[in-house]
Amino acid sequence: MKRPIGVQLWSVFTLDDFPGVLRQLSEMGYAGVEAFGLHDLSPTVVRQLLDDLGLELFSSHAPFPAGPDAQRILDEQSQLGAPVLAWSLEAEEFATEDSIARGVERVNEAAANAKAYGMQIAYHNHWSEFARLADGRRAYDVLQERLSPDVLLELDVYWAAVAGADPAAVVREYGDRVRFLHLRDGPAKTAEDAMVALGQGSLDIPAILDANPSVAWHIVELDRCDTDVMTALRESFDYLNAL
């Protein structure tokens, strides 16, 4: 089954002419975006830009709405119209089971706060989640055991590969909790490697895309390219669209 193809706007965060960039992404064929920041615009202006271009806002990369900043984050994202907020824990929070448990408290509080606004929280991984704890368990598994069932997964397959995991196997393993895939490509050896357009690196993208029917969006994110990022985003869309 073909999923809609979206783009994480961190990929274009440093580019000038944000409205023009959005127009180019729409013209490439992208169906939607995951927001990252407001580019010095108001939430309502950003939403109007997206609506005018026919780009769906399927999620927003925004800090967990927990603690004293929760209402400010939720009010802003509510004005933007984001249905899902995706964020991560810090690398050091995966050192022990206790540190994971403390971090999960923040995620679960965010999920409860978001639910009151009609939103959901999605957990976005990096590579630290796939480290092994002292007892041999994978930190990501411990995280899943403690997360509220209301929390979705936004699985970044490239960072899983950097950590030495099999991305397709991870996508398959977590079943219907996985709603979003962050798709990148490249050497997948270290976190500092430059990324390339999808299909031009080391990941088995077709196997990853076939691994889980519960995924709702395929999201391209290229945050470190040696080539022109807009060209790489166009090539990535064309590659995914042709599969």
Side-chain angles (χ1 to χ4, degrees), residues 89 91 93-101 104 123 125-147 153 155-157 159-175 178:
L89 295 178
E93 294 182 277
F94 293 97
T96 67
E97 184 170 3
D98 286 345
S99 63
I100 294 171
V104 167
Y123 185 86
N125 65 281
H126 292 94
W127 52 90
S128 301
E129 287 86 342
F130 295 92
R132 297 283 175 176
L133 301 181
D135 60 7
R137 288 180 298 165
R138 192 168 60 183
Y140 197 58
D141 295 326
V142 176
L143 175 75
Q144 305 308 314
E145 292 168 3
R146 293 179 174 270
L147 283 176
L153 295 183
L155 219 163
D156 192 307
V157 300
W159 294 140
V162 166
D166 177 347
V170 174
V171 172
R172 186 180 305 112
E173 181 176 355
Y174 289 100
V178 182

Side-chain angles (χ1 to χ4, degrees), residues 59-83:
S59 61
S60 185
H61 200 59
F64 292 128
D69 289 331
Q71 185 172 349
R72 177 188 61 77
I73 294 167
L74 288 166
D75 286 346
E76 179 178 88
Q77 294 300 322
S78 179
Q79 291 178 50
L80 184 61

Side-chain angles (χ1 to χ4, degrees), residues 18 41-52 79-80:
F18 181 59
L41 302 171
S42 72
T44 52
V45 168
V46 172
R47 184 55 189 253
Q48 190 62 56
L49 285 171
L50 296 174
D51 289 345
D52 289 347
Q79 291 178 50
L80 184 61

Side-chain angles (χ1 to χ4, degrees), residues 14 18 22 39 68 79 89 120 125 127 140 146 154 174 179 183 189 209 218:
T14 62
F18 181 59
L22 290 179
H39 301 262
Q79 291 178 50
L89 295 178
Q120 287 184 281
N125 65 281
W127 52 90
Y140 197 58
R146 293 179 174 270
E154 181 175 78
Y174 289 100
R179 299 297 176 83
L183 302 171
K189 299 297 183 183
L209 301 187
H218 292 152

